[in-house]
Amino acid sequence: MPEGPSVRKFHHLVSPFVGQQVVKTGGSSKKLNPASFQFLWLQDAQVHGKKLFLRFDPDEELGSLGNVSLPEPLQKGEREEEDEDQKQALRPSSQNISNESSQPLELVIPSGDSGLECLQGDTSAGGGAERWLQVSFGLFGSIWVNEFSRAKKANKRGDWRDPIPRLVLYLSGGSFLAFYNCQMSWRSSALVQPTSDILSEKFHRGQALEALGREQPVCYTLLDQRYFSGLGNIIKNEALYRAGINPLSLGSLLSPRHLEALVDHVVEFSADWLQGKFQGKQQHTQIYQKEQCPVGHPVMKDAFGPPGGFQRLTWWCPQCQPRLPPNEQEQAQLS
């Protein structure tokens, strides 16, 4: 699944087309009828972690709905799945040129310290209709602008078949957007929580450090999107290696200095990766999918995850990333 830097790049690609109308559609999506996007206006684009939110309206001036229908709402099964995702995001914690949308956004910040922001437009005309398209990308999900993805190798049958886009939006300005390998669903608002987004200026370090200090392996906590939204397996492995921390180290046994260093590497690696994407550079990894670390030590690989949860492949160097730093091993033994 594309991580935060990749989704930010997708947002960067889509943003210049805000304010344009969909004049033609295509794609293989069965959950969302591509034809239902025709004549809608792309009014806004937001990004949070690994999700992209696109706002569509039936009228450029956001006036009366008239005879134009909004795309069909989620079916029951899809709604239940999306509601579960939102429940997790809302669960309380321990603590090129972008055009402006023609419709000003209302910023609603609920009480408490969750930092949750729900971006929604004036719903008086649509009666609270679902106008935000939430796009979650699969393992090889992507957005292409003015070109289609081509097959890079033959499939198992030996066929060179080009990937089929889930959705294609042809816009009034003459360009088109092609969405590949992604899950799309309609929402009434864009769920944005900048305090947990590792690429946001509002990222809450204190909240992240408190979560990391729990009595569980730090590699579990790093993938918790409630505290590290946008952080995926590549960033997890690279940050742990650069901080010299074993992935199975319990956060409660790590010193504040090591936890601070880990958060630093998460933010720095993510920001460097994003900058590299804008410059057309491929991100260099030191441990992810490597057989040797930069020093030349053999690299271990195993799948780790919380009990009953998803297990993610993890690469680490036992010598560069001991289970605990030597001084903390002694402290743990004395305690």
Side-chain angles (χ1 to χ4, degrees), residues 291-305:
E291 295 183 355
Q292 291 185 336
C293 75
V295 183
H297 302 141
V299 169
M300 300 289 291
K301 180 180 77 171
D302 205 344
F304 300 133

Side-chain angles (χ1 to χ4, degrees), residues 48 214 241 333:
H48 174 63
R214 293 175 175 175
Y241 176 75
Q333 291 173 356

Side-chain angles (χ1 to χ4, degrees), residues 184-238:
M184 297 173 288
S185 57
W186 290 101
R187 305 199 68 88
S188 59
S189 61
L191 188 63
V192 180
Q193 193 172 6
T195 56
S196 67
D197 193 323
I198 59 175
L199 285 168
S200 171
E201 294 181 354
K202 298 180 180 179
F203 176 62
H204 198 306
R205 288 179 59 92
Q207 178 178 281
L209 288 168
E210 184 175 353
L212 281 173
R214 293 175 175 175
E215 192 175 353
Q216 71 172 6
V218 287
C219 68
Y220 299 178
T221 308
L222 284 175
L223 293 178
D224 191 330
Q225 300 300 295
R226 293 174 297 171
Y227 311 105
F228 297 94
S229 184
L231 194 153
N233 213 33
I234 297 177
I235 299 175
K236 177 200 76 176
N237 283 281
E238 291 299 313

Side-chain angles (χ1 to χ4, degrees), residues 149-327:
S149 176
R150 302 300 181 188
K152 297 180 180 179
K153 62 180 180 179
N155 58 25
K156 294 181 180 180
R157 297 181 180 179
D159 299 327
W160 285 76
R161 294 186 178 181
D162 292 333
I164 301 176
R166 297 282 175 85
L167 178 66
V168 182
L169 300 178
Y170 296 87
L171 302 166
S172 54
S175 298
F176 69 86
L177 303 172
F179 298 75
Y180 289 89
N181 192 20
C182 56
Q183 296 179 344
M184 297 173 288
S185 57
W186 290 101
R187 305 199 68 88
S188 59
S189 61
L191 188 63
V192 180
Q193 193 172 6
T195 56
S196 67
D197 193 323
I198 59 175
L199 285 168
S200 171
E201 294 181 354
K202 298 180 180 179
F203 176 62
H204 198 306
R205 288 179 59 92
Q207 178 178 281
L209 288 168
E210 184 175 353
L212 281 173
R214 293 175 175 175
E215 192 175 353
Q216 71 172 6
V218 287
C219 68
Y220 299 178
T221 308
L222 284 175
L223 293 178
D224 191 330
Q225 300 300 295
R226 293 174 297 171
Y227 311 105
F228 297 94
S229 184
L231 194 153
N233 213 33
I234 297 177
I235 299 175
K236 177 200 76 176
N237 283 281
E238 291 299 313
L240 285 170
Y241 176 75
R242 294 162 195 239
I245 296 175
N246 188 284
L248 291 179
S249 294
L250 300 181
S252 57
L253 295 181
L254 293 174
S255 68
R257 178 174 61 86
H258 284 95
L259 294 177
E260 288 274 4
L262 180 55
V263 173
D264 287 341
H265 285 293
V266 163
V267 174
E268 291 172 7
F269 180 82
S270 302
D272 289 345
W273 189 0
L274 178 60
Q275 183 178 9
K277 282 187 170 295
F278 288 145
Q279 297 173 348
K281 299 179 181 178
Q282 186 174 2
Q283 179 63 23
H284 172 69
T285 58
Q286 296 183 3
I287 198 73
Y288 181 72
Q289 295 185 337
K290 303 293 186 182
E291 295 183 355
Q292 291 185 336
C293 75
V295 183
H297 302 141
V299 169
M300 300 289 291
K301 180 180 77 171
D302 205 344
F304 300 133
F310 194 55
Q311 309 293 300
R312 302 299 302 273
L313 282 176
T314 302
W315 287 262
W316 78 100
C317 173
Q319 296 187 56
C320 298
Q321 298 167 266
R323 188 61 178 267
L324 278 177
N327 61 323

